[in-house]
Amino acid sequence: TFLHKHEPRAAFETLLKHQLRAYAPATPQEELLTFRIAQKSWILRRLDTFERVIADSAVTKVRDKHPNAAPVACIAMTYLERKDTETTRCYERIAKQRKDHEAALDRLEAKLQTLQARRESREDRREAQEDRREARRQARQDRRASAAP
């Protein structure tokens, strides 16, 4: 599973429920895409948490040297002081993962929208065909009724 063992399944299920309500999938394929959209959204939230933890750690380290520094200044100082540290590499990995997951999320949403548009178009065509059949049936009945003595 994509959930880490420390992550609350109920929180993901709540996110999924909101996504299902927002996208209103009507077919199994649409449901699968909606689930994958929820997965990507969850992973992006996780990356936000990773970034926040790294930033909080940076603030703590700088505050050891500069106790009155504002949090934003502490983060800026860590960027200035960094060479090629593990933290820098971690930020870079997170940025790459964020870019990849955001691109995947965009593709999933586009694919879902395309599927839903096609399904709705098919439904509209079926409805129009049914309307035309009903109109022809009604016209035949009207002709029979007017031809009857």
Side-chain angles (χ1 to χ4, degrees):
T1 180
F2 69 96
L3 281 175
H4 292 174
K5 64 182 177 183
H6 67 276
E7 293 177 316
R9 178 168 291 284
F12 173 74
E13 289 171 358
T14 299
L15 171 66
L16 178 59
K17 194 182 327 175
H18 290 296
Q19 298 285 14
L20 289 168
R21 201 173 313 125
Y23 289 105
T27 67
Q29 190 175 18
E30 290 176 10
E31 285 180 20
L32 178 61
L33 286 170
T34 303
F35 179 79
R36 288 188 176 154
I37 287 168
Q39 278 182 316
K40 290 298 178 190
S41 298
W42 184 265
I43 291 168
L44 287 167
R45 286 182 180 185
R46 183 187 301 148
L47 292 173
D48 288 341
T49 301
F50 290 173
E51 287 178 332
R52 190 170 46 256
V53 167
I54 292 169
D56 290 347
S57 173
V59 169
T60 301
K61 287 177 184 174
V62 170
R63 282 232 171 113
D64 288 343
K65 298 176 193 173
H66 308 283
N68 297 325
V72 173
C74 292
I75 294 169
M77 283 186 226
T78 61
Y79 280 117
L80 293 172
E81 293 173 357
R82 260 189 228 144
K83 296 199 173 50
D84 190 28
T85 65
E86 184 63 30
T87 304
T88 304
R89 288 190 296 277
C90 193
Y91 266 123
E92 290 168 355
R93 281 194 304 269
I94 290 171
K96 183 185 180 323
Q97 287 180 359
R98 174 179 303 289
K99 182 180 175 184
D100 293 347
H101 287 293
E102 285 175 345
L105 181 59
D106 290 343
R107 287 189 305 271
L108 288 168
E109 287 177 332
K111 188 172 184 177
L112 179 59
Q113 289 171 351
T114 299
L115 282 174
Q116 288 178 328
R118 284 180 189 159
R119 177 180 44 80
E120 290 166 0
S121 177
R122 283 191 304 268
E123 289 170 357
D124 290 346
R125 283 193 305 268
R126 269 189 235 120
E127 210 173 277
Q129 286 174 340
E130 289 173 17
D131 289 347
R132 286 191 296 272
R133 275 188 229 129
E134 179 60 27
R136 285 192 299 263
R137 189 184 63 73
Q138 188 63 44
R140 281 193 302 270
Q141 284 180 346
D142 291 347
R143 281 193 303 269
R144 287 183 197 138
S146 65

